[in-house]
Amino acid sequence: MPGTAFRVDQSKSMREQDVPGHNRWHPDIPAAAEVRPDDEFRIECKDWTDAQVGNNDSADDIRDMDLDHNHMLSGPIAVAGAEPGDLLVVDYLDLGPAHTIDRGAGDAPGQGWGYTGIFARDNGGGFLTEHYPDAGKVVWDFHGRSATSRHLPGVRIASNVHAGLAGCAPSADLLAEWNRREQRLIDTDPNRVPPLALPPLETGNLMGTLTGAARDRAAREGARTVPPREHGGNVDIKNLSIGSRVFYPVYVPGAHFSIGDLHFAQGDGEISFCGAVEMGGYADIGVGLIKDGMRKYNVTTPLFQPGRNEPRYSEFVSFIGISVDESGDQHYMDATIAYRRACLSAIDYLVQFGYTGEQAYLILCAAPIEGRVSGIVDIPNACCSLYLPTEIFDFDIRPSATGPTYRDRGQCALTS
Amino acid sequence: MPGTAFRVDQSKSMREQDVPGHNRWHPDIPAAAEVRPDDEFRIECKDWTDAQVGNNDSADDIRDMDLDHNHMLSGPIAVAGAEPGDLLVVDYLDLGPAHTIDRGAGDAPGQGWGYTGIFARDNGGGFLTEHYPDAGKVVWDFHGRSATSRHLPGVRIASNVHAGLAGCAPSADLLAEWNRREQRLIDTDPNRVPPLALPPLETGNLMGTLTGAARDRAAREGARTVPPREHGGNVDIKNLSIGSRVFYPVYVPGAHFSIGDLHFAQGDGEISFCGAVEMGGYADIGVGLIKDGMRKYNVTTPLFQPGRNEPRYSEFVSFIGISVDESGDQHYMDATIAYRRACLSAIDYLVQFGYTGEQAYLILCAAPIEGRVSGIVDIPNACCSLYLPTEIFDFDIRPSATGPTYRDRGQCALTS
Amino acid sequence: MPGTAFRVDQSKSMREQDVPGHNRWHPDIPAAAEVRPDDEFRIECKDWTDAQVGNNDSADDIRDMDLDHNHMLSGPIAVAGAEPGDLLVVDYLDLGPAHTIDRGAGDAPGQGWGYTGIFARDNGGGFLTEHYPDAGKVVWDFHGRSATSRHLPGVRIASNVHAGLAGCAPSADLLAEWNRREQRLIDTDPNRVPPLALPPLETGNLMGTLTGAARDRAAREGARTVPPREHGGNVDIKNLSIGSRVFYPVYVPGAHFSIGDLHFAQGDGEISFCGAVEMGGYADIGVGLIKDGMRKYNVTTPLFQPGRNEPRYSEFVSFIGISVDESGDQHYMDATIAYRRACLSAIDYLVQFGYTGEQAYLILCAAPIEGRVSGIVDIPNACCSLYLPTEIFDFDIRPSATGPTYRDRGQCALTS
Amino acid sequence: MPGTAFRVDQSKSMREQDVPGHNRWHPDIPAAAEVRPDDEFRIECKDWTDAQVGNNDSADDIRDMDLDHNHMLSGPIAVAGAEPGDLLVVDYLDLGPAHTIDRGAGDAPGQGWGYTGIFARDNGGGFLTEHYPDAGKVVWDFHGRSATSRHLPGVRIASNVHAGLAGCAPSADLLAEWNRREQRLIDTDPNRVPPLALPPLETGNLMGTLTGAARDRAAREGARTVPPREHGGNVDIKNLSIGSRVFYPVYVPGAHFSIGDLHFAQGDGEISFCGAVEMGGYADIGVGLIKDGMRKYNVTTPLFQPGRNEPRYSEFVSFIGISVDESGDQHYMDATIAYRRACLSAIDYLVQFGYTGEQAYLILCAAPIEGRVSGIVDIPNACCSLYLPTEIFDFDIRPSATGPTYRDRGQCALTS
């Protein structure tokens, strides 16, 4: 019975923990702990930036973020008996922040508060970076399983707490494939801002307990943690909340499962890149194995069953986007553009009630919006739709004959 | 009190109705009826193909479909007092097939049955046309508000009945803009199969009660009905079911609202193009106006509030896709590819239980699956997720240590 | 394939239909039609009073109601092969009013409208008859699958359409047992107003196609239709809506299934006796058999599986009642008193917003409130709770520091 | 900022805590802590029995329970500014057990486990005590927000965590009224087993920090905590879970709010008296005031708004009960009997699958069943219905033509 399989002291960097985690994917990173099938245990996590963001009213920390450190993951956890080709069954029994309310809490994200950020165009960017190129931030105060923000008056959201990022270590072959295909993409426009993808980078690496030459080599090869890949990784799926069960492909003996990037809440798309309510905290999980599960079920990516604990909303104002871009140019079946247009329409709408565009953008990031691929066959227009829960607002946002009630609703934190 | 504003005799072609409908978008098509704000009334509809598909076990009718006739719309309905810039409020009070069970019903789609088709690659295609290039079909039997298919043993779906296509007539300027931008796209690859978009086409036109030279001119200009556009149109949003309220932009005096392409059921994406449970039937709607609503709410596309009557499912097996294509090539933040990969994973999975790929494809079309844009910022991989309700199957499809239960489950209708 | 198994012309009394129904339970009433297992068919129904109530602004018709005619049932439907001890499986495929909107509709309940009534204390009474002893009424206008009432401004409810009453004919022995046990109760206070129970009554009987001496004898024995009993009958369960499946015990060869008392909508308890949105309409059902099902499942009353189509509400203001009566007297674990006190609290609350007590009472009848037995063990107080959906109101009824917004909201229909 | 307003060391009795709680209701019990409106804080709680029950396989501890100690409450918490006539607004921000999984946990209930008990007929009894007169018990293991029991193979339930008991201290007048009315009831059958109600009892009292003669007098007057009353108290409403907001009447200056009897999970009715998954743990709450709220809203009992976090189930097998008792005697509109008959039917049904009656009884206690007052006007039969979620079982419990799958499923813990 392993108790807490990975401990974190929120007042210290992930680099200074008794057993440090890692921020690159590589099969050679040694296991930080070992568990057995049917074990249930806790993993503690730092927020994805390792506490580079403060509970304050300036977005300078977002603007100046050193992205080379991210994401700080807890693990790897070895699972006895796991072999390549198995499916690792992970039950997300419970997740939560380091503190659910501010009870003499410290100043690390997760200790009673979290944040959502707009990354600047020249430091990471985000889904709407062409429209909102500058850094911005909102700080959320936790009230148990809901949150409010002094930067977003009138909004209260229920938590759909989840880990943005989790998965098993890649094999050496799979890692090589990731690096190869991503480099080919980068090579098509190597100087783009923001970049097309992030190649391996030694700077800022943390490779768990690996040291010396082995660490240096692994750091040169290790995949960055930003994209989701076939092992799962940074999928940022808001529905992987309490009670969900995920089946992760196993590529190395022992599985080497890692997890991080906890989110108190998020909407579909996590659209500002740092678009969830980011925090440190804990994940209580149980593990099992389906031997030879990848072949049995003919799968190469994770499967999952959502849990029963997603917060219940039943009223929405919904927006539509098609794959005609902001300049009026027609694209062929492009769901990315269609969803972007739906997001922009929702922002345009919320601005009529007195939010700034930045605030509206951040609401769509963190609130439990639904983002759907509604029609993907009606040439040439993909159609995506976005469902904004009306009940997160303390005023009525539904359309009516009298028009919207405009009120000055302040602004998010900006840069100095 | 208008009663039935648009009547359809399901045993006749839309061309032969007392007041015919139309199959192109054009501002000059005369109103078929006029209603007033606060009126509630019925509109009857043919299925989108005007009954080109039969209740049989061959997909020849899908293969040989004359697409130039589609979609057969009911309307336009003029709304007294509507002016450009208004929002037309449409309440979907009730929708249903011509017959909910087979009670001595006729042989038009909607009379107790419906169909879902895979269009052949060289006649329309669909989302997975590179994988499933040949025509296929399943016929659904209606049982009140649920349906089964002899071509899909073990499946029963609840109806999320909706109109795939509805909206107001474009202004001449808006129509010109549609034609311009779509032609520009076509011009980039004019001989592609399937085509990138469909330009105006005189062949097969039906322009309501317009006749003579006026009809011929309008037919040469009229936009095809396939894509959704800023007026709404063929959005194919499964959530526009009973009880939903849609706010449609108005572009011409009287609004000129038309509707068609009724679906007994559909999943997000309608992925095979003819991917819903297609039928003729009725829509009971109420109308209202928000004067100057487009400016008041800063909107250029329809808004909506979903209804309270969507069928309730709470158990899902879910699949993930990222924007790496089937050849292993990396694409940049492409949600279309990500959703396609999620669909293909779901098909691979269902095949392990004994469905053919074609059957699995058609299940994903018609069943109330959820398709979500989960992560759209984690360069370079978009992440989409697909939620398949387990409760549509009469056997257990959840992953388990024992593996899937394979059984021969037949095949959908194919071509001769 | 039976099509419509039982036809009703809404413009005529049930007594004048081609095949009349019945208003007493008796095994000798001949089958009106026969169906076979796996058949799906329509049954048409009059409202429970056989159209004694009009679409007007007076409650005189409620006050003067002849209760001896109620409930007018459609059937019996014989099911080939059904034998005593079987369970008759009934799928409620679809249900609805005669007309879903008022499209040149007639004046029978169900033709675009329905009603909810408070029965007078000396003519039937109801759950709160000591508090509201006089007749009252509201008329509802149907808007597809929702309804509003000119007598209840500010309220709109979604339909949870269901049959209040359905079941199989009792055997002679079971019928005798019903009559025996109910007479014993009556005998404890034979002159009570309202009465404790209703014994067989020849006056007003309708025994289907039974005639002559056989009819007269059956009418003298036939059980009244008011109470639910072990065969089901007038259970008034709001959750038996579209998509539900009920397993009814079979007591006579052929099962002899009858149905009536259609409700467009209702809350838990149907608290004013005529407390649903009453109407005539149709039920589309499918039937099957579980041979020897009563023994196999050890059941003596109906089982059911609710459907997927109940309207979705997620916000409630909730009220609590305990088994201390209005005089302050303590009762032992009395859930009836506890639920009554919860209802009275909800009425007291709604009155603060400007509804009259009668209006509030009628809202609780017809709206989809949840009534729960929350605690039934904490001696001496049962605790019941009542959940009022806030979203049925077009103003905010949630408690707040500023207090309720009072407005004159008129009154229901009263007697002359 | 008060942090933790009431601390509990689970390894000690409530009597030995630094600040002890109380187990009687009396206005003279001094406040254990003071908070201010808008404060958010934690209250820690012992299980209701003060750890009289162990994690073992015997029901002897249930049989031998000293009920005089129950319920052990945390508080009173004074709220600055609260006055009689106000409504105290309590937001249940988060609730949980002392430990969510067994991570080196201790042996007090809540430390990774909980229990559900059947009280013996001659020591408390329960809803079905005439049928199950002997003590029984199941122990639940927590897995984050779900639980399983070695005594109930095949069952897994999601947590609807809530406090069974909470409310403000009564005024002296209200307390006198409680004692008066309950004594009147007791006097009607003073020797009944189990008793009709529980009068004040000095034995076993714990009156917080009150000492000496003041304590002794208060103990002689203090109301027992078993029944819910108009202040709320032991309402045992399963829907008061995370995110709910309750409006409690205030009777004394400072409100003096107390809370306890935490439940990991419970079904409607809590039918075995100790029928929830009992545990110690924490409640994170926020407080506010509606000044003069009782008059403004015309209320004398608590109101509440349920939260958004109740676990989601959508499939049920449902049972019906009417007010005919087990001997076949007819009762008049008795919802208590009707609900009891529905419970007995559900037990009869589950026994066909191999559970013992005691196991089935305990499943209905702890699982999130819905218990509804469906019809309360159809003389003489009340109709209650019970909804058992099928998804708590790892086998299929739905009725089918093949009948139930019987398997030996063991037994709950019994007495020695």
Side-chain angles (χ1 to χ4, degrees), chain A residues 71 124 126-127 177-178 181-182 184-185 192 194-198 226-230 232 234-239 245 247 266-274 289-291 295-308 310 314-322 324 328-336 339 341 345 347-349 351-353 370-385 387 397-404, chain B residues 71 87 124 126-127 177-178 181-182 184-185 192 194-198 226-230 232 234-239 245 247 266-274 289-291 295-308 310 314-322 324 328-336 339 341 345 348-349 351-353 370-385 387 397-404:
Chain A
H71 303 72
F127 191 44
E177 169 60 17
W178 292 353
R181 77 187 181 206
E182 291 174 22
R184 276 203 302 265
L185 178 68
R192 189 176 183 275
L196 289 172
L198 300 170
V226 168
R229 298 186 184 93
E230 44 273 77
N234 194 25
V235 292
D236 285 325
I237 296 175
K238 75 177 197 309
N239 304 92
R245 167 175 283 190
F247 305 84
Q266 189 200 287
D268 277 338
E270 203 203 7
I271 61 174
S272 75
F273 183 41
C274 181
L289 288 173
I290 298 182
K291 298 303 295 179
R295 188 193 57 76
K296 278 181 188 163
Y297 284 103
N298 201 15
V299 294
T300 56
T301 50
L303 298 170
F304 64 97
Q305 298 173 241
R308 301 189 182 288
E310 296 177 9
S314 70
E315 297 268 332
F316 302 90
V317 173
S318 304
F319 302 88
I320 294 172
I322 57 174
V324 174
D329 285 336
Q330 180 69 59
H331 297 255
Y332 181 74
M333 303 314 295
D334 190 319
T336 304
Y339 193 53
R341 295 305 304 273
S345 284
I347 291 172
D348 285 347
Y349 184 84
V351 163
Q352 299 302 98
F353 292 82
E370 300 284 322
R372 294 199 176 103
V373 179
S374 289
I376 194 68
V377 288
D378 300 314
I379 58 169
N381 272 323
C383 179
C384 287
S385 52
Y387 301 73
I397 67 151
R398 292 173 297 182
S400 69
T402 54
Chain B
H71 305 71
L87 287 171
F127 191 44
E177 168 60 17
W178 291 353
R181 75 187 180 205
E182 290 174 23
R184 276 201 303 265
L185 177 69
R192 188 176 184 273
L196 289 172
L198 301 170
V226 168
R229 297 186 185 95
E230 44 273 76
N234 194 25
V235 293
D236 284 324
I237 297 175
K238 76 178 195 310
N239 306 90
R245 167 174 282 190
F247 305 85
Q266 189 199 287
D268 277 336
E270 203 203 4
I271 61 173
S272 75
F273 182 44
C274 181
L289 288 173
I290 298 182
K291 297 302 296 178
R295 187 193 57 77
K296 278 181 187 163
Y297 285 103
N298 201 18
V299 293
T300 56
T301 49
L303 298 169
F304 65 95
Q305 299 173 240
R308 301 188 183 288
E310 297 175 9
S314 69
E315 297 268 333
F316 303 89
V317 172
S318 304
F319 303 87
I320 293 173
I322 57 174
V324 174
D329 286 334
Q330 179 70 59
H331 296 257
Y332 180 74
M333 304 312 297
D334 191 319
T336 304
Y339 193 54
R341 295 306 303 272
S345 285
D348 285 346
Y349 184 84
V351 163
Q352 300 301 97
F353 292 83
E370 299 284 321
R372 294 201 176 102
V373 180
S374 289
I376 193 70
V377 289
D378 299 314
I379 58 170
N381 271 324
C383 178
C384 287
S385 51
Y387 301 73
I397 66 150
R398 291 172 299 181
S400 69
T402 53

Side-chain angles (χ1 to χ4, degrees), chain A residues 27-197:
Chain A
D28 293 351
I29 301 172
E34 190 182 48
V35 298
R36 302 168 59 82
D38 296 332
D39 277 346
E40 299 183 349
F41 50 91
R42 174 161 289 195
I43 300 176
E44 295 174 342
C45 301
K46 293 282 294 186
D47 85 295
W48 75 300
T49 71
D50 204 16
Q52 293 188 59
V53 179
N55 184 346
N56 55 45
D57 301 317
S58 162
D60 289 0
D61 45 20
I62 298 287
R63 180 193 62 199
D64 303 335
M65 170 81 61
D66 185 346
L67 287 167
D68 301 346
H69 295 287
N70 305 356
H71 303 72
M72 278 299 180
L73 302 182
S74 298
I77 309 296
V79 179
E83 294 169 297
D86 293 348
L87 288 171
L88 178 67
V89 186
V90 175
D91 283 312
Y92 286 101
L93 304 172
D94 195 17
L95 305 106
H99 292 92
T100 55
I101 55 175
D102 186 1
R103 301 188 311 281
D107 51 12
Q111 294 185 304
W113 65 279
Y115 63 92
T116 303
I118 301 172
F119 271 58
R121 190 179 180 286
D122 53 8
N123 189 33
F127 191 44
L128 307 181
T129 203
E130 302 303 322
H131 298 269
Y132 299 99
D134 300 318
K137 185 174 82 176
V138 292
V139 172
W140 298 89
D141 295 307
F142 299 160
H143 311 280
R145 300 271 166 180
S146 65
T148 59
S149 170
R150 61 187 179 267
H151 301 118
L152 293 173
V155 173
R156 185 182 190 100
I157 58 176
S159 170
N160 55 8
V161 59
H162 59 276
L165 197 164
C168 297
S171 66
D173 283 354
L174 183 59
L175 173 61
E177 169 60 17
W178 292 353
N179 285 335
R180 196 157 44 229
R181 77 187 181 206
E182 291 174 22
Q183 189 59 50
R184 276 203 302 265
L185 178 68
I186 294 168
D187 291 346
T188 63
D189 188 358
N191 300 315
R192 189 176 183 275
V193 176
L196 289 172

Side-chain angles (χ1 to χ4, degrees), chain C residues 71 124 126-127 177 181-182 184-185 192 194-198 226-230 234-239 245 247 266-274 289-291 295-308 310 314-320 322 324 328-336 339 341 345 348-349 351-353 370-385 387 397-404, chain D residues 71 124 126-127 177 181-182 184-185 192 194-198 226-230 234-239 245 247 266-274 289-291 295-308 310 314-320 322 324 328-336 339 341 345 348-349 351-353 370-385 387 397-404:
Chain C
H71 304 73
F127 192 44
E177 167 61 15
R181 75 186 181 207
E182 291 174 23
R184 277 202 302 263
L185 178 68
R192 187 176 184 273
L196 288 172
L198 302 170
V226 168
R229 298 186 185 94
E230 44 274 75
N234 194 25
V235 292
D236 285 325
I237 297 176
K238 75 177 198 309
N239 305 92
R245 168 175 282 191
F247 305 84
Q266 188 200 288
D268 277 338
E270 203 202 6
I271 61 174
S272 75
F273 182 43
C274 182
L289 288 173
I290 298 183
K291 298 303 295 177
R295 189 193 56 77
K296 278 181 187 162
Y297 285 103
N298 201 16
V299 294
T300 56
T301 51
L303 298 170
F304 63 97
Q305 298 173 241
R308 302 187 182 289
E310 297 176 9
S314 70
E315 297 267 332
F316 302 89
V317 173
S318 304
F319 303 87
I320 294 173
I322 58 174
V324 174
D329 286 335
Q330 180 69 58
H331 297 255
Y332 180 73
M333 304 312 297
D334 189 319
T336 303
Y339 192 54
R341 294 305 304 272
S345 284
D348 285 347
Y349 184 85
V351 163
Q352 300 302 98
F353 292 83
E370 300 284 322
R372 294 200 176 102
V373 179
S374 288
I376 193 70
V377 288
D378 299 315
I379 57 168
N381 272 322
C383 178
C384 287
S385 52
Y387 301 74
I397 66 151
R398 293 172 298 182
S400 69
T402 54
Chain D
H71 304 70
F127 192 44
E177 168 61 16
R181 75 186 182 207
E182 290 173 23
R184 276 201 302 265
L185 178 68
R192 188 177 185 274
L196 289 172
L198 302 169
V226 168
R229 298 186 184 94
E230 44 273 76
N234 193 25
V235 293
D236 285 325
I237 297 175
K238 75 177 197 308
N239 305 91
R245 167 175 282 190
F247 305 85
Q266 189 199 288
D268 277 337
E270 203 203 6
I271 60 173
S272 75
F273 182 42
C274 181
L289 289 173
I290 298 183
K291 297 303 295 178
R295 188 193 56 75
K296 278 180 187 162
Y297 284 103
N298 201 16
V299 293
T300 56
T301 50
L303 299 169
F304 64 95
Q305 298 173 239
R308 301 187 182 288
E310 297 176 10
S314 70
E315 298 269 332
F316 302 89
V317 172
S318 304
F319 303 88
I320 293 173
I322 58 175
V324 173
D329 285 334
Q330 179 69 58
H331 297 255
Y332 180 73
M333 303 313 297
D334 190 320
T336 303
Y339 193 53
R341 295 304 305 271
S345 284
D348 285 347
Y349 184 85
V351 163
Q352 300 302 97
F353 292 83
E370 300 284 323
R372 294 201 175 101
V373 179
S374 288
I376 193 70
V377 289
D378 300 314
I379 57 169
N381 272 323
C383 178
C384 286
S385 52
Y387 302 73
I397 65 151
R398 292 173 297 181
S400 69
T402 54

Side-chain angles (χ1 to χ4, degrees), chain C residues 56-299:
Chain C
N56 56 46
D57 301 317
S58 161
D60 289 359
D61 44 20
I62 298 288
R63 181 193 61 198
D64 303 334
M65 171 81 61
D66 184 346
L67 287 167
D68 301 345
H69 295 287
N70 305 356
H71 304 73
M72 279 300 181
L73 304 182
S74 297
I77 309 296
V79 181
E83 295 169 295
D86 293 348
L87 287 171
L88 178 67
V89 186
V90 175
D91 282 312
Y92 287 101
L93 304 172
D94 196 17
L95 304 106
H99 293 93
T100 54
I101 54 175
D102 186 1
R103 301 188 311 280
D107 51 13
Q111 294 185 305
W113 65 279
Y115 63 92
T116 304
I118 301 172
F119 271 58
R121 190 178 180 287
D122 52 10
N123 188 34
F127 192 44
L128 307 181
T129 203
E130 301 303 322
H131 298 268
Y132 299 98
D134 299 318
K137 184 174 83 176
V138 293
V139 173
W140 298 90
D141 296 307
F142 300 160
H143 311 280
R145 300 270 166 181
S146 64
T148 58
S149 170
R150 61 186 178 269
H151 301 117
L152 293 172
V155 172
R156 185 182 191 100
I157 58 175
S159 170
N160 55 8
V161 59
H162 59 276
L165 197 164
C168 296
S171 65
D173 282 353
L174 183 59
L175 174 60
E177 167 61 15
W178 292 352
N179 286 334
R180 198 158 41 228
R181 75 186 181 207
E182 291 174 23
Q183 189 59 50
R184 277 202 302 263
L185 178 68
I186 294 169
D187 291 346
T188 63
D189 188 0
N191 300 315
R192 187 176 184 273
V193 176
L196 288 172
L198 302 170
L201 177 72
E202 230 182 316
T203 313
N205 83 76
L206 175 62
M207 307 304 280
T209 55
L210 204 59
T211 55
R215 180 199 54 206
D216 295 345
R217 194 187 59 246
R220 281 192 299 273
E221 298 169 354
R224 302 290 290 278
T225 57
V226 168
R229 298 186 185 94
E230 44 274 75
H231 70 142
N234 194 25
V235 292
D236 285 325
I237 297 176
K238 75 177 198 309
N239 305 92
L240 296 181
S241 193
I242 297 171
S244 62
R245 168 175 282 191
V246 189
F247 305 84
Y248 293 100
V250 173
Y251 307 100
V252 300
H256 282 214
F257 176 79
S258 297
I259 185 169
D261 191 23
L262 298 188
H263 297 161
F264 187 85
Q266 188 200 288
D268 277 338
E270 203 202 6
I271 61 174
S272 75
F273 182 43
C274 182
V277 179
E278 308 285 347
M279 65 175 194
Y282 69 91
D284 287 346
I285 71 177
V287 292
L289 288 173
I290 298 183
K291 298 303 295 177
D292 197 24
M294 292 179 69
R295 189 193 56 77
K296 278 181 187 162
Y297 285 103
N298 201 16
V299 294

